[in-house]
Amino acid sequence: MKIERSVYLGISAAVVTGLILFTYFNYRDELGAAEARVSSGSQVADTPCGRIEYSVIGKGAPLLLVHGAGGGFDQGLEFGRPLAERGFTVIAMSRFGYLRTPMPADASTAAQADAHACLLDALKLPGAAILGGSAGAPSTIEFCLRHAKRCSAMVLLVPALFPPGASQLRPAESPSLMFDWIVGSDFFFWLNLKLARGTMLERLFATPVRDFDNAPREEQERVLRVMRSALPVSRRRKGLWNDLVIVASSPRYALERLATPTLVISIEDDLFGTYESSRSAAERMPGARFVSFPTGGHLWAGRQKEVVSETTKFLSDAYSRPSTHGGA
């Protein structure tokens, strides 16, 4: 009996050890691939606004792509590639606190907007169209307000906008241990992607699992790429926290003063609850076009072709207008 127990214990220990080793090597390989991905394909410009990481793809009219929370230039390229294939020069940058763009003392939306202008200066571009996704929307709006003559057209994609005074969770002055545990640890983030993908999809990426399940295979693969592209999350932690603070502050933007052709794209079942505020914001923007879809969540699962089509047509029309600011 004692011999059998010893055998069972030995087998159990071997299985556990094997699982631990398999998990470790799998994590190490995937994190290494993520580190390699963000360590190539970009460059850093030294500007009066500080160092700014960016990548440029495509040829044609310039489009500055401003990523959302958890992003970086790599997240920008994920959405920007189809636009580059359709005749635009996509400039994907890393905002404050993401990857190789440091976090300055002033990381406000106004400072970020000025950094967008500084990047255009470094690239010797008089102006560009700009696309802000999710938490990239606030600085995109500020850019078109503060640098109107350099903003050819503006696209706000599932913008993280909330009415002033809206019931938002106010973050503490510094990240909590829970925040660091969830989005400050590459290992725990990776492990949750493996073991709790549905929960991560709905809680962190605000996309209903049913929308993911109903999407075509290529769309499911795109959504999974976006989720995995948050790794290494430890190199995005400062930017994530800054975005949380900005979005929770619910600032009021002078949308009525915008003189830029604008397209706002929103999803009704976005679990971040951005639909109503996006529609309300579009109504305050003179001449803005508002496009919405009933399903798809914050990552617009199953809607990529429609979103790219709407964006391409709008930008092409905007650049064809004689009065467009800041040409290529």
Side-chain angles (χ1 to χ4, degrees):
M1 194 69 172
K2 291 182 178 180
I3 294 176
E4 290 181 356
R5 177 181 294 181
S6 298
V7 171
Y8 291 145
L9 290 175
I11 293 174
S12 298
V15 170
V16 171
T17 301
L19 287 173
I20 292 173
L21 289 174
F22 174 79
T23 301
Y24 168 74
F25 287 117
N26 195 8
Y27 163 70
R28 188 187 65 175
D29 290 345
E30 293 192 21
L31 184 64
E35 290 281 3
R37 186 188 72 249
V38 299
S39 298
S40 61
S42 69
Q43 48 196 315
V44 176
D46 287 313
T47 78
C49 300
R51 289 184 292 119
I52 303 173
E53 182 182 30
Y54 70 97
S55 181
V56 179
I57 58 172
K59 292 183 179 180
L63 172 64
L64 184 62
L65 214 153
V66 185
H67 65 82
F73 79 92
D74 53 336
Q75 187 190 83
L77 290 180
E78 173 63 37
F79 183 73
R81 285 190 184 92
L83 299 175
E85 294 168 357
R86 287 162 173 77
F88 296 95
T89 296
V90 173
I91 306 155
M93 37 89 86
S94 298
R95 292 190 290 110
F96 292 157
Y98 286 98
L99 301 178
R100 291 198 288 167
T101 299
M103 177 67 72
D106 179 7
S108 64
T109 55
Q112 289 189 51
D114 291 344
H116 301 342
C118 283
L119 179 57
L120 293 185
D121 289 340
L123 297 175
K124 295 181 171 53
L125 287 170
I130 186 169
L131 186 155
S134 189
S139 65
T140 296
I141 293 171
E142 286 280 16
F143 173 75
C144 291
L145 286 171
R146 296 170 66 86
H147 306 277
K149 292 184 178 180
R150 307 189 69 175
C151 185
S152 307
M154 177 172 68
V155 178
L156 301 177
L157 178 55
V158 291
L161 300 174
F162 298 96
S167 179
Q168 296 291 318
L169 180 64
R170 301 286 176 173
E173 293 183 0
S174 60
S176 65
L177 291 176
M178 181 62 71
F179 178 88
D180 283 333
W181 184 78
I182 295 174
V183 299
S185 167
D186 291 325
F187 175 73
F188 283 114
F189 191 89
W190 173 86
L191 190 63
N192 276 289
L193 285 178
K194 295 293 183 182
L195 301 181
R197 188 179 72 186
T199 301
M200 292 280 280
L201 183 62
E202 294 200 341
R203 297 290 181 85
L204 290 186
F205 296 93
T207 299
V209 171
R210 65 177 180 275
D211 290 352
F212 175 85
D213 291 339
N214 292 333
R217 174 64 63 86
E218 63 270 18
E219 270 292 85
Q220 293 181 352
E221 292 173 353
R222 178 188 66 83
V223 170
L224 292 176
R225 282 198 308 272
V226 172
M227 295 174 70
R228 289 193 293 264
S229 72
L231 284 169
V233 70
S234 59
R235 295 180 59 182
R236 311 170 201 264
R237 171 183 170 277
K238 292 181 180 179
L240 271 165
W241 182 254
N242 188 56
D243 283 342
L244 179 61
V245 171
I246 287 174
V247 171
S249 68
S250 300
R252 180 177 176 84
Y253 302 98
L255 302 178
E256 297 82 2
R257 291 199 298 107
L258 283 168
T260 303
T262 300
L263 170 66
V264 181
I265 300 177
S266 185
I267 310 295
E268 291 182 32
D269 69 351
D270 183 339
L271 296 180
F272 283 146
T274 63
Y275 173 74
E276 290 296 338
S277 55
S278 297
R279 185 174 64 176
S280 175
E283 290 172 352
R284 292 171 53 204
M285 301 175 187
R289 172 172 165 74
F290 180 70
V291 174
S292 66
F293 301 99
T295 61
H298 197 65
L299 297 184
W300 60 93
R303 302 290 183 180
Q304 173 77 341
K305 291 181 180 179
E306 295 161 290
V307 169
V308 170
S309 176
E310 289 285 353
T311 302
T312 301
K313 183 179 185 306
F314 170 78
L315 292 175
S316 297
D317 290 346
Y319 268 115
S320 68
R321 296 188 185 104
S323 59
T324 295
H325 298 303

